Amino acid sequence: MREMSDIRNIVILTGAGISAESGIDTFREKGGLWEKYPIEDVATPEAFERNPDLVHHFYDQRRKALLSVKPNKAHQSLGCLDRAWDGNLLIVTQNVDDLHERGGARRIIHMHGELKKALCLSCGMRSLMEGALAHRPPCPVCKASTLRPDVVWFGEVPYKMDKIYQALARADLFVSIGTSGAVYPAAGLVQEARTLGIQTLELNLQKSDGSHWFDSSRLGRATDLVPDWVSEVLRD
């Protein structure tokens, strides 16, 4: 195991668990979003083609819910790390909320898209869209009323995977925070890290499906674990 003083380049993967303590519903836990809305009804291209009104309603409600939540200590600690770390740092999040940004982080890839953006099916442009899409607002670029949520659905390829793998290839440390370890390709990043000989650490409420791939795991609330870990990193 490397000492933290030898670590220069860090890749951090975050999942629903880091935002759950801010009040954002997770998908897979008991009472989560997939119990209320089946995947096949709101999170596939086929669902949008079949019933765009339902899909828009689902994401409009989630977008509206963002207004009532705030970044928690875990988001804020990663923002502090981002500002203070002079090595390479990349936060890869599976979350479509904007809590990392509001927590102060800037070096971020949203591999599953962003709730506050819309994708135009006519011209392909992505635009900031904080209001509802259900009433079919026009694309700010081409003016066509063909906007969909800029969210990666099941069966679609996550964003910027090439940049994620490039960052991982340069990394000395891979850290996974609040992830289930069940959704690929994100769940496979720890395996890639191990193949490359990169040190790996899991911070999670409970052991994930991929816990056995990590060099070490720390279990507990993200708002406890992440600030403690960031303090260790910056102290060393």
Side-chain angles (χ1 to χ4, degrees):
M1 297 285 287
R2 289 187 178 187
E3 298 293 332
M4 275 309 307
S5 57
D6 297 327
I7 300 295
R8 297 299 303 152
N9 303 324
I10 304 173
V11 173
I12 300 170
L13 173 70
T14 68
I18 198 170
S19 292
E21 291 182 63
S22 288
I24 292 182
D25 287 341
T26 62
F27 289 92
R28 298 177 185 281
E29 69 179 12
K30 184 176 177 58
L33 287 170
W34 293 146
E35 288 189 4
K36 303 170 187 175
Y37 293 88
I39 291 173
E40 60 272 15
D41 288 346
V42 295
T44 67
E46 294 79 14
F48 187 69
E49 183 176 349
R50 183 172 61 248
N51 192 344
D53 288 338
L54 176 62
V55 174
H56 277 314
H57 173 73
F58 175 72
Y59 289 98
D60 284 351
Q61 291 301 111
R62 293 187 65 196
R63 197 176 303 111
K64 183 178 179 181
L66 280 182
L67 299 175
S68 62
V69 299
K70 297 179 180 179
N72 59 50
K73 291 180 180 179
H75 299 109
Q76 293 164 348
S77 293
L78 291 182
C80 179
L81 178 64
D82 191 343
R83 292 188 297 272
W85 193 252
D86 59 4
N88 290 326
L89 174 73
L90 179 64
I91 298 171
V92 179
T93 185
Q94 300 171 81
N95 300 335
V96 295
D97 61 62
D98 63 345
L99 296 182
H100 279 305
E101 287 86 348
R102 284 197 266 157
R106 294 296 177 262
R107 290 180 274 184
I108 305 169
I109 287 178
H110 283 268
M111 66 182 299
H112 292 162
E114 300 178 62
L115 266 180
K116 288 188 173 181
K117 289 185 178 179
L119 171 64
C120 180
L121 297 176
S122 294
C123 70
M125 293 298 294
R126 293 180 168 87
S127 305
L128 184 66
M129 189 64 62
E130 297 187 347
L133 292 176
H135 61 284
R136 308 298 196 275
C139 170
V141 178
C142 73
K143 308 307 179 184
S145 296
T146 54
L147 297 177
R148 58 160 272 187
D150 190 19
V151 172
V152 175
W153 289 325
F154 288 90
E156 296 181 326
V157 179
Y159 295 154
K160 300 183 179 179
M161 290 304 300
D162 55 341
K163 292 185 177 181
I164 293 170
Y165 283 120
Q166 288 168 12
L168 198 59
R170 298 191 303 267
D172 304 306
L173 175 66
F174 172 74
V175 183
S176 175
I177 303 172
T179 65
S180 66
V183 179
Y184 285 82
L189 293 180
V190 63
Q191 300 173 43
E192 178 71 11
R194 290 294 297 270
T195 299
L196 294 169
I198 298 166
Q199 187 170 322
T200 56
L201 169 66
E202 177 182 44
L203 307 177
N204 215 359
L205 188 60
Q206 56 193 11
K207 286 196 172 185
S208 69
D209 290 356
S211 283
H212 59 283
W213 288 105
F214 289 89
D215 293 318
S216 59
S217 295
R218 303 181 187 181
L219 303 183
R221 292 159 51 95
T223 49
D224 294 326
L225 295 178
V226 178
D228 287 349
W229 174 71
V230 169
S231 294
E232 290 176 21
V233 171
L234 296 181
R235 182 175 63 247
D236 292 341

